[in-house]
């Protein structure tokens, strides 16, 4: 029996799938998106909404692994590794440790220093093209440190950001008070990035992009893709409900769930998830002027159109363990201590799955089985930020054009 044939299939309706669909449409491609759950309700719905273009420093850095034991000792600290999942994480942690060696770290910083300007310029282009300017605010980012020593410890990272062309100012207590009234007096050292951008709500933004793709002719099919197979003219996508589609191009943008589908093509991706938590308080919970990042505590407070979001943390707990919302509560308690007038009642808790590669770089790459299948997953902490650049690279690969950036660092085969 012949399978229905479509031009391009995009698997996943998160921010990466939405951008891939948008860029393929820019090239005149006809797109079908396939989503197994509620549209755009994966990691892209509940993140902090920050377009963190200056964030060129990977978490896999020299010294990170030595800080980890201290964090792990605090059961509700910024990093946790549930004992029942610890063994499964060993191969990923081994690669993460190797990615933090000085030479590998320097290479990743270089890659990010090229990726982020593309991410920024492409994001601004998409926002302009789709009329989503009202969903983006430019109020700047305030990074806060507990002490001068801790700011000093981060100074090399900030210098690298400056060398990559990002502007920021060091600020003391009086500027901090002006930038964000109501912060606890302990915060006397910070960095203000005036150009810091954020989306007003990550779910609304992602869904608006999916809706835009649909208004430009994309179709949406609800169903779970179980495998992809190469064919003479492209690839065949099989769904768990028995349906199958033939396509000239298939983009796998399934976030943290992409590993098994890539494996059906014989490709290995050491993809794990860094689970993150937050609480979204009702609008009016605090007169927040801009994003505040509490660097020594691993969480951020963001003003969204849907409320005040307090979140962050990393839990290396895989896809199946139940959420531990004590993590959301712990961050909320700290936020209350740092912003004493914060009203902590009436919040909505959330846990989401960051799709994370151990070298902190995404996979943006043709499959080793066929160039008709393009992978776009594994963006970790930076999926929203790097989404437009990813869409652009996906479209370049699909059109067999010279990619806007060399894709070698993002290749699926780098883990062989
Ligand atoms: C707490 C937290 C805060 C964050 N803050 C930021 C931030 O401020 N800035 C930033 O840039 N990034 C941030 N991130 C990271 C960012 O959210 C992710 O990198 C990004 O959302 C990943 O997008 P995605 O489209 O790859 O995955 P997802 O949004 O998870 O989308 C994947 C989609 O694919 C679907 N899918 C999966 N498998 C299949 C299948 N087999 N068949 C059909 N459909 C399938 C899923 O149902 C899902 O809808 C944060 C993450 C967390 C958890």
């Amino acid at each position: 029996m012949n399978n229905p044939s479509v031009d391009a299939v995009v698997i996943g309706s998160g921010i990466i799938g939405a951008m891939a669909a948008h860029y393929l449409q820019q090239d005149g491609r006809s797109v079908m998106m396939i989503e197994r759950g509620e549209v755009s309700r994966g990691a892209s719905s509940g993140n902090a909404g920050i377009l963190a273009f200056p964030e060129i420093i990977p978490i896999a850095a020299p010294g990170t692994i030595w800080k980890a034991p201290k964090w792990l000792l605090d059961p509700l600290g910024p990093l946790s590794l549930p004992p029942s999942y610890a063994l499964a994480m060993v191969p990923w942690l081994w690669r993460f440790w190797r990615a933090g060696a000085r030479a590998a770290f320097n290479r990743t910083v270089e890659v990010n220093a090229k990726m982020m300007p593309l991410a920024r310029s492409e994001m601004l282009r998409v926002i302009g093209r789709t009329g989503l300017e009202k969903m983006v605010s430019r109020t700047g980012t305030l990074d806060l440190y507990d002490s001068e020593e801790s700011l000093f410890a981060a100074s090399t990272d900030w210098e690298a950001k400056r060398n990559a062309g990002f502007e920021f100012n060091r600020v003391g207590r009086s500027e901090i008070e002006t930038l964000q009234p109501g912060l606890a007096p302990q915060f006397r050292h910070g960095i203000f990035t005036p150009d810091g951008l954020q989306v007003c709500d990550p779910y609304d933004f992602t869904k608006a992009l999916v809706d835009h793709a649909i208004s430009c002719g994309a179709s949406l099919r609800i169903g779970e893709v179980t495998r992809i197979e190469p064919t003479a003219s492209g690839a065949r996508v099989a769904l768990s409900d028995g349906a199958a589609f033939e396509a000239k191009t298939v983009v796998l943008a399934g976030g943290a769930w992409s590993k098994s589908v890539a494996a059906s093509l014989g490709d290995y991706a050491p993809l794990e998830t860094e689970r993150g938590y937050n609480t979204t308080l009702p609008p009016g919970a605090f007169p927040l002027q801009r994003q505040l990042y509490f660097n020594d505590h691993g969480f951020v407070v963001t003003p969204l159109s849907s409320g005040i979001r307090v979140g962050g943390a990393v839990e290396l707990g895989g896809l199946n363990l139940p959420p531990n919302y004590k993590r959301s509560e712990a961050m909320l308690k700290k936020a209350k201590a740092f912003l004493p007038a914060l009203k902590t009642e009436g919040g909505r808790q959330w846990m989401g799955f960051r799709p994370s590669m151990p070298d902190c770089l995404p996979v943006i790459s043709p499959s080793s089985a066929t160039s008709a299948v393009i992978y776009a997953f594994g963006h970790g902490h930076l999926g929203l930020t790097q989404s437009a650049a990813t869409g652009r690279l996906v479209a370049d690969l699909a059109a067999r054009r010279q990619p806007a950036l060399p894709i070698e660092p993002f290749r699926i085969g780098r883990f062989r």
Side-chain angles (χ1 to χ4, degrees):
M1 192 179 75
N2 283 343
N3 300 128
S5 149
V6 287
D7 179 21
V9 162
V10 174
I11 303 165
S13 66
I15 191 65
I16 302 297
M19 285 289 189
H22 173 77
Y23 275 84
L24 288 169
Q25 287 183 321
Q26 288 296 305
D27 278 349
R29 306 291 303 267
S30 166
V31 175
M32 177 169 81
M33 300 184 78
I34 304 183
E35 168 57 55
R36 63 172 189 181
E38 203 185 327
V39 173
S40 308
R41 282 290 181 194
S44 304
S45 67
N47 64 47
I50 302 172
L51 295 168
F53 302 117
E55 219 38 76
I56 59 169
I57 309 295
I59 296 175
T64 302
I65 211 88
W66 306 118
K67 289 183 204 149
K70 189 184 103 194
W71 294 332
L72 287 168
L73 282 175
D74 176 357
L76 296 177
L79 173 68
S80 77
L81 179 56
S84 59
Y85 202 69
L87 204 57
M89 279 305 295
V90 169
W92 189 94
L93 286 169
W94 165 245
R95 289 179 191 275
F96 178 84
W97 178 67
R98 290 201 344 198
R102 178 59 65 185
F105 166 81
N106 287 344
R107 275 197 302 276
T108 309
V109 173
E110 255 175 57
V111 172
N112 282 339
K114 291 194 183 113
M115 174 59 147
M116 289 305 200
L118 180 74
R120 188 175 193 283
S121 60
E122 291 298 327
M123 180 61 81
L124 295 178
R125 253 188 223 169
V126 173
I127 289 165
R129 268 200 303 254
T130 53
L132 295 183
E133 290 93 344
K134 286 207 178 87
M135 288 198 170
V136 178
S137 69
R138 295 164 191 257
T139 44
T141 311
L142 182 56
D143 278 79
L144 294 157
Y145 293 85
D146 284 3
S147 64
E148 190 157 15
E149 293 73 49
S150 99
L151 174 55
F152 180 74
S155 57
T156 324
D157 292 353
W158 283 105
E159 230 19 72
K161 292 177 193 182
R162 198 187 294 287
N163 292 339
F166 296 103
E167 294 297 328
F168 53 86
N169 314 312
R170 186 173 168 175
V171 288
R173 180 66 199 177
S174 66
E175 290 119 318
I176 289 175
E177 268 173 355
T178 310
L179 289 165
Q180 181 54 65
L183 267 162
Q186 76 204 65
F187 295 105
R188 317 185 62 78
H189 306 280
I191 300 278
F192 180 53
T193 307
D195 195 28
L197 296 171
Q198 67 158 91
V199 298
C200 294
D201 183 277
Y203 169 71
D204 291 349
F205 184 74
T206 307
K207 182 68 170 43
L209 276 174
V210 172
D211 290 345
H212 186 270
I214 290 171
S215 74
C216 294
S219 61
L220 176 66
R221 169 73 155 81
I222 299 299
E224 177 165 18
V225 173
T226 50
R227 55 183 294 113
I228 309 174
E229 289 157 15
T231 61
S233 56
R236 177 179 177 274
V237 175
L239 276 67
S240 60
D241 58 15
F245 299 93
E246 300 266 353
K248 291 194 195 96
T249 301
V250 176
V251 180
L252 175 57
W257 299 272
S258 302
K259 187 174 178 168
S260 62
V261 183
S264 70
L265 282 157
D267 282 318
Y268 170 65
L271 177 69
E272 278 291 344
T273 177
E274 294 175 75
R275 294 146 56 116
Y277 288 85
N278 62 40
T279 306
T280 306
L281 299 167
F286 188 81
L288 193 62
Q289 305 298 306
R290 51 183 48 84
Q291 312 143 33
L292 305 178
Y293 182 28
F294 295 98
N295 277 268
D296 296 309
H297 305 273
F299 75 94
V300 63
V301 183
T302 322
L304 300 176
S305 51
S306 49
I308 303 283
R309 184 160 291 167
V310 178
V314 166
E315 184 182 61
L316 301 172
L319 294 168
N320 299 318
L321 290 182
N324 175 5
Y325 287 117
K326 288 200 175 125
R327 304 208 157 278
S328 305
E329 285 156 27
M331 285 183 279
L332 196 56
K333 203 168 151 200
K334 276 192 178 172
K336 172 78 181 162
F338 299 163
L339 298 164
L342 182 71
K343 294 186 197 122
T344 54
E345 306 80 39
R348 192 166 25 90
Q349 294 175 325
W350 179 83
M351 187 270 279
F353 299 94
R354 295 183 189 93
S356 297
M357 303 301 289
D359 60 357
C360 304
L361 291 173
V363 176
I364 308 168
S365 164
S367 161
S368 63
T370 166
S371 58
V373 177
I374 298 162
Y375 298 133
F377 59 79
H379 293 74
H381 293 240
L382 293 168
L384 171 62
T385 306
Q386 298 183 337
S387 57
T390 301
R392 165 79 195 269
L393 293 171
V394 163
D396 289 344
L397 290 170
R400 296 186 166 74
R401 282 191 297 264
Q402 172 84 11
L405 286 179
I407 62 143
E408 294 315 315
F410 308 122
R411 277 202 187 273
I412 184 88
R414 68 189 192 263
F415 299 102
R416 261 189 232 120

